[in-house]
Amino acid sequence: MEQFFQQLTNGLAVGGIYALIALGYTMVYGVLKLINFAHGDLFTIGAYLGLTLLTSLSLTDRLGPFWGVVALAAMAMGLVALVGALLERVAYRPLRESPRLSAVVSALGASIFLSNAVMLIYGARFHVYPQDLLPKITLDLFGLQLPLVRVLILAASLVMMTALYLFIQKTRIGTAIRAAAIDQGAARLMGIDVDRVILLVFLIGPALGGVAGVMVGIYYGQINFTMGWTYGLKAFTAAILGGIGNIPGAMVGGLLLGVIEAMGAAYISIAWKDAIAFCILIAILIVRPTGLLGERVAEKV
Amino acid sequence: MTLLSLNRLTKSFGGLTAVNNVSFQVEGGSIVGLIGPNGAGKTTVFNLITGIYRPNQGEIIFNDGSIVGQPTHRIVSLGIARTFQTIRLFQNLSVLENVLSGCHCRMKSGSLAAMLRLPSQKKEERRAVERALGALTFVGLESQAEQLARNLSYGNQRLLEIARALATEPQLLILDEPAGGMNEQETGALITLIRRLRDRGITVLLIEHDMSLVMRVCERIVVLEYGAKIAEGEPAAIKADPKVIEAYLGTEENE
Amino acid sequence: MMDRTKYLYLAGTVVLAAAPAVLNTYWVDVLNNVGMYAILGLSLNLIVGHAGLFNLGHAAFYAIGAYTAAILNSHFHIPVLWLLPLSALTAGLFALMIARPIIHLRGDYLCIVTIGVGEIVRIALINNVFGITGGANGIFGIDRPQIFGWVIRRPQEFYYLIWLFLMVTVFLFQRLENSRFGRALNYLREDETAAEGSGIHTAHYKLMAFVIGAAWAGMVGNIFAAKMTIISPESFSFWESVLMFTLVILGGSGSIPGVLLGALLIIGLPELFRGFANARMAIFGVAMVAMMIFRTGGILPARPRTYRLPQPAAAVEAKP
């Protein structure tokens, strides 16, 4: 019971992080039908920028642990959003009219560049987040121990996901994003500025990925320039699991994948932990490519 | 003798019934037109015949054998070739190579024969090039053999699609709006071409919006509306059929 | 035209044959790497360049060939070069097995799945799957290859083995791409529906591209194992797959000279410029983006095939 509870809460916290990254994949895919391979590296950049801001501005000393971390997250989100918009402008916009696979290669190239740029700037070794960032409090729930940081990570990701969901569902801009995802041409005819929608998607997605990077730094304490592709692939799996292009799907997929992975590591084999996500990915694509919440789209010949 | 026969064919996508209980026969050596207003299910019928879709119900008999459930490439090698409504050429390959794709299913050499360049493989390649050139000559594109397909004019791209289909040595050739985007002169030449195809022993089934072409070239016409067959007969009878006039020709002629 | 290419190849052969005589051991070893990656690139080119199937897990096939050779050699002392066909066979069969269920997936999904397969294979090797892969430490004590009792040991000797293999590969693959088989791969790359509608069994050709490409990568794996005498999972990481993919795309996908140049640039260039080695992947990344925007076909794009056309008089059909 104790182990099950620990794995469940751990899985949910990690799953929340997957979900935040997955949202970036799914939003870009929804509008551009492109797998943004560089998205995982935006997440890495978020983690590294967060660390730099933390050490250079000593935010937590000035604002206290809670508001310090919030300010840090907000700044990392803003900066990564800028990188995301720049990425779209340089690597994807010139290829809007090209064959899809050209954009895929460009995305791969951008991913290789970004992760290696991080390596060149920060070095190839692991970097460590300060351990005293958040108070080490453990909550006691009927005899079950629950670290506060887990609760905060899960809560923060749930708050952001809900905010995004409401933004997409309830606002005019959100409606424009949904319309562009369904049919770009029609959206354009209805007077929607599709270029702005794409830009917006490349601001929101990377912002969420960036904050996920900070969360991983805080949760695990160490970061590395290659972590973007592992997390990226897992988050992509989460997006596929929920149904790519589908925002609630990414959230459900992320949380589900986090829990499955934690349980698999605990009850099956920890050595195979990283293979679990890939097996799920392959199985889903073979058996039900539309994911759990996706809709089937007929192809016109 | 009946070459192709559709028996009570039905295909639905979700709630939409695109083809509803359609039956008709195509006699060997004839030219048959399939017409109907937009969205009547004509292209869906073609996609069912060529195995791109699988019918929910019904039978498709070609040369006395059922072809339902066969993969498209197999149906092609059985003797049914097609062109596409939206031109689907291999744009970045040469005109000749586009036609060679049609020869593919009549060739045998595999990867090993190619690597070893066996005499049989060399001979087969030479004959395929000859046959492809023959098909190009038939449609009048032999002088453009080494051009890239994307550099051809629109009308010539349509002709190239026909040459590619011809290279599969079909018994039945299915043309999906072959005159689409052609000018009057090109359409005239197309009519001659379709008749020459028939004279070569190839049965032709075509969808076309250009009524004058359909009336001039087709010996039999099948009319679809909302996925169901509403009339079938010779051009003169179809022209006079009140149901057809109401459904299709009426609106068309008012324009 | 054809003659010029022949002379070019001939001159290249002479220069290559003389290379070990003038270069020191270090540079010969660099050329060995270039040669091996060139073969890997050519094998991947069949899948990526000709069939247009984005495979980012090619290192998995390379690994299976290497491990086949390593396991059978270290357990049963079968000479490594005799295991060459077996390395090809296991890698090819593995490709057949994994590609069959995923082959219908659309381009970008296929790409992601191949990444997944590559990772699963690597994790399996680390976890000492079936108890035969030696875990994270890998397998050591692999015999040197022998040809008629002559043991290949020095880099200069490997050089001739590798570059001979490369030349045979170029020779065979050139024939392969100028054939019914090669054309079929191009048709399905250009438009799968139209290819199927022209009578091409697209699923079969996609599978065959994977199987032949994988088999060739497996043979390179065999030579790699024999050259290193020790192999471990880290030699077959995702970055190996990325490197192979990059050299195909940058050099010229679907073009044999392009892939050869790609291997030379991507493996050889970082050796020429010290300090470049660290930044090389970042530079290749930028180059990939730029290449897609400005020159999709790569540095040396594929040239259209040429056919010997019969004289007009010989063309069969007469016009009416």
Side-chain angles (χ1 to χ4, degrees):
Chain A
M1 183 62 199
E2 170 71 26
Q3 191 194 9
F4 179 80
F5 178 76
Q6 293 303 334
Q7 292 307 331
L8 181 69
T9 52
N10 176 39
L12 285 172
V14 178
I17 294 173
Y18 288 160
L20 284 180
I21 311 173
L23 285 170
Y25 280 111
T26 233
M27 286 178 75
V28 168
Y29 191 89
V31 177
L32 282 181
K33 304 287 173 279
L34 165 76
I35 299 176
N36 178 12
F37 279 94
H39 187 62
D41 302 293
L42 296 172
F43 154 86
T44 311
I45 291 174
Y48 275 88
L49 284 179
L51 183 60
T52 304
L53 291 171
L54 195 66
T55 47
S56 58
L57 300 179
S58 50
L59 287 167
T60 42
D61 296 342
R62 291 188 202 171
L63 300 171
F66 183 73
W67 289 111
V69 169
V70 170
L72 172 73
M75 287 157 93
M77 282 172 89
L79 287 173
V80 177
L82 287 181
V83 179
L86 193 69
L87 172 74
E88 192 273 330
R89 185 72 195 77
V90 174
Y92 301 146
R93 189 171 299 182
L95 294 167
R96 211 65 77 65
E97 308 301 322
S98 308
R100 281 162 52 102
L101 289 184
S102 298
V104 172
V105 174
S106 185
L108 274 169
S111 165
I112 295 169
F113 169 74
L114 288 176
S115 58
N116 282 279
V118 170
M119 193 258 303
L120 289 172
I121 294 168
Y122 288 94
R125 66 188 174 84
F126 279 84
H127 281 253
V128 181
Y129 262 61
Q131 281 308 289
D132 52 356
L133 208 53
L134 289 171
K136 283 220 183 312
I137 299 172
T138 301
L139 307 176
D140 189 82
L141 282 178
F142 314 110
L144 295 168
Q145 306 295 311
L146 179 61
L148 178 68
V149 60
R150 259 182 220 172
V151 181
L152 289 178
I153 295 262
L154 181 59
S157 53
L158 286 177
V159 166
M160 277 183 279
M161 285 189 266
T162 315
L164 177 71
Y165 184 71
L166 291 176
F167 174 73
I168 296 285
Q169 291 296 328
K170 303 285 180 193
T171 65
R172 273 177 62 87
I173 308 173
T175 312
I177 294 178
R178 279 185 290 142
I182 294 166
D183 187 336
Q184 272 194 34
R188 200 165 269 140
L189 289 177
M190 300 307 288
I192 293 171
D193 185 345
V194 174
D195 282 341
R196 271 190 58 198
V197 167
I198 292 171
L199 181 66
L200 197 65
V201 162
F202 270 96
L203 287 170
I204 298 174
L208 295 176
V211 77
V214 175
M215 286 180 172
V216 165
I218 293 173
Y219 192 54
Y220 286 111
Q222 59 175 11
I223 57 176
N224 179 268
F225 78 102
T226 59
M227 70 181 194
W229 97 267
T230 324
Y231 275 87
L233 273 176
K234 287 182 181 173
F236 180 77
T237 303
I240 291 274
L241 185 60
I244 191 140
N246 182 318
I247 287 176
M251 305 179 193
V252 174
L255 293 172
L256 199 60
L257 182 66
V259 172
I260 294 174
E261 222 182 49
M263 294 298 169
Y267 295 104
I268 300 172
S269 156
I270 189 143
W272 289 85
K273 174 173 172 270
D274 284 333
I276 294 172
F278 299 126
C279 291
I280 291 178
L281 173 70
I282 294 171
I284 287 273
L285 284 177
I286 293 171
V287 179
R288 193 181 155 86
T290 49
L292 298 176
L293 305 183
E295 290 153 29
R296 189 170 292 280
V297 188
E299 265 187 59
K300 189 168 166 66
V301 180
Chain B
M1 144 197 157
T2 306
L3 183 63
L4 175 79
S5 130
L6 310 189
N7 299 330
R8 310 177 71 80
L9 214 53
T10 298
K11 173 71 188 176
S12 51
F13 300 101
L16 174 81
T17 306
V19 174
N20 191 2
N21 209 14
V22 167
S23 307
F24 65 87
Q25 266 93 40
V26 176
E27 296 298 313
S30 64
I31 302 177
V32 177
L34 185 61
I35 64 171
N38 279 332
K42 305 178 298 281
T43 297
T44 306
V45 169
F46 279 14
N47 285 339
L48 288 168
I49 298 171
T50 52
I52 289 174
Y53 298 145
R54 209 192 160 112
N56 300 96
Q57 266 166 38
E59 264 188 322
I60 306 172
I61 310 288
F62 180 70
N63 264 340
D64 302 326
S66 171
I67 56 169
V68 170
Q70 301 267 17
T72 301
H73 65 89
R74 175 90 189 110
I75 291 174
V76 175
S77 67
L78 286 174
I80 302 180
R82 75 173 290 178
T83 65
F84 292 89
Q85 182 184 345
T86 51
I87 293 176
R88 296 193 85 141
L89 291 168
F90 309 112
Q91 298 285 351
N92 297 311
L93 299 177
S94 74
V95 167
L96 181 69
E97 287 195 308
N98 268 275
V99 184
L100 279 172
S101 74
C103 301
H104 182 95
C105 66
R106 306 290 169 219
M107 297 164 76
K108 289 194 191 68
S109 304
S111 49
L112 206 60
M115 287 202 223
L116 301 176
R117 201 159 280 182
L118 299 174
S120 62
Q121 188 259 354
K122 275 167 80 175
K123 195 170 145 205
E124 192 183 65
E125 281 286 310
R126 220 173 26 242
R127 285 196 42 207
V129 171
E130 277 168 20
R131 273 189 27 227
L133 280 175
L136 279 175
T137 310
F138 189 85
V139 301
L141 285 177
E142 71 279 11
S143 61
Q144 322 242 28
E146 289 176 300
Q147 294 270 346
L148 289 187
R150 63 162 183 258
N151 295 338
L152 293 188
S153 73
Y154 200 76
N156 281 347
Q157 294 201 0
R158 290 242 177 251
L159 292 179
L160 179 52
E161 280 226 340
I162 294 177
R164 180 175 69 185
L166 200 54
T168 66
E169 299 178 359
Q171 285 174 276
L172 173 66
L173 181 57
I174 298 183
L175 305 173
D176 199 343
E177 293 195 28
M182 282 188 175
N183 61 30
E184 218 164 296
Q185 198 190 347
E186 288 171 323
T187 307
L190 179 68
I191 290 175
T192 320
L193 180 67
I194 292 173
R195 293 205 176 111
R196 283 172 52 224
L197 284 168
R198 196 260 318 269
D199 295 343
R200 234 175 113 153
I202 295 170
T203 308
V204 179
L205 173 62
L206 61 91
I207 292 177
E208 189 47 69
H209 279 299
D210 185 334
M211 273 308 121
S212 74
L213 183 145
V214 174
M215 293 301 162
R216 276 162 72 193
V217 80
C218 294
E219 292 149 0
R220 254 191 115 62
I221 294 173
V222 176
V223 189
L224 295 186
E225 189 191 19
Y226 299 120
K229 186 173 87 175
I230 57 167
E232 181 177 358
E234 288 172 9
I238 292 294
K239 254 184 190 161
D241 191 318
K243 262 158 84 188
V244 178
I245 293 169
E246 189 188 331
Y248 188 83
L249 295 175
T251 55
E252 194 87 346
E253 278 168 4
N254 287 341
E255 282 173 347
Chain C
M1 193 70 234
M2 202 52 219
D3 282 341
R4 216 187 74 189
T5 325
K6 255 184 196 153
Y7 284 122
L8 215 65
Y9 276 116
L10 196 69
T13 311
V14 172
V15 171
L16 286 171
V22 283
L23 295 173
N24 63 25
T25 307
Y26 177 81
W27 283 104
V28 170
D29 206 47
V30 170
L31 282 182
N32 286 346
N33 280 332
V34 170
M36 284 204 295
Y37 277 96
I39 307 171
L40 287 170
L42 289 173
S43 71
L44 183 62
N45 182 39
L46 220 50
I47 304 169
V48 172
H50 282 290
L53 303 166
F54 279 17
N55 169 13
L56 269 171
H58 209 50
F61 308 132
Y62 178 41
I64 286 180
Y67 271 86
T68 302
I71 291 165
L72 293 179
N73 175 265
S74 58
H75 281 258
F76 307 108
H77 300 284
I78 306 169
V80 247
L81 283 182
W82 287 19
L83 291 169
L84 212 50
L86 218 56
S87 289
L89 192 71
T90 48
L93 280 179
F94 178 73
L96 187 67
M97 210 174 67
I98 60 134
R100 190 179 279 277
I102 63 171
I103 206 76
H104 64 279
L105 291 174
R106 224 186 38 209
D108 37 11
Y109 285 142
L110 186 74
C111 181
I112 288 271
V113 169
T114 56
I115 295 175
V117 169
E119 275 304 285
I120 292 172
V121 167
R122 194 181 59 90
I123 294 169
L125 293 175
I126 292 175
N127 287 332
N128 198 9
V129 67
F130 311 130
I132 53 174
T133 68
N137 296 327
I139 297 174
F140 40 88
I142 304 158
D143 292 336
R144 297 290 192 183
Q146 285 187 23
I147 295 176
F148 304 121
W150 175 49
V151 184
I152 298 175
R153 196 172 283 122
R154 295 163 52 226
Q156 281 82 353
E157 293 158 351
F158 269 104
Y159 174 88
Y160 288 106
L161 177 68
I162 290 167
W163 283 79
L164 186 72
F165 186 25
L166 174 60
M167 278 162 68
V168 171
T169 305
V170 169
F171 179 72
L172 293 179
F173 278 24
Q174 191 147 28
R175 290 176 156 199
L176 192 59
E177 65 180 41
N178 288 303
S179 74
R180 174 175 179 260
F181 181 86
R183 281 195 305 268
L185 299 186
N186 291 172
Y187 298 141
L188 72 89
R189 176 191 68 198
E190 291 283 312
D191 184 336
E192 203 177 326
T193 306
E196 186 77 22
S198 305
I200 288 151
H201 190 346
T202 50
H204 168 80
Y205 281 96
K206 287 178 176 181
L207 269 183
M208 285 311 288
F210 259 97
V211 169
I212 296 178
W216 236 267
M219 289 194 278
V220 184
N222 175 302
I223 291 180
F224 176 76
K227 178 169 171 280
M228 303 308 286
T229 70
I230 167 168
I231 55 166
S232 67
E234 68 192 58
S235 302
F236 308 100
S237 69
F238 175 62
W239 288 105
E240 290 299 306
S241 298
V242 170
L243 220 52
M244 297 175 208
F245 186 84
T246 313
L247 76 86
V248 171
I249 295 285
L250 290 186
S253 58
S255 146
I256 290 178
V259 172
L260 297 180
L261 180 70
L264 195 65
L265 290 182
I266 289 205
I267 308 303
L269 214 54
E271 302 288 346
L272 275 178
F273 304 103
R274 291 218 171 270
F276 185 71
N278 263 334
R280 68 170 180 162
M281 285 319 288
I283 292 169
F284 296 151
V286 173
M288 267 164 92
V289 175
M291 199 63 91
M292 285 305 108
I293 295 172
F294 301 109
R295 197 180 163 89
T296 319
I299 302 172
L300 290 177
R303 284 217 307 257
R305 296 182 184 81
T306 49
Y307 292 89
R308 201 172 307 151
L309 301 182
Q311 293 308 303
V316 226
E317 293 280 336
K319 286 183 84 173

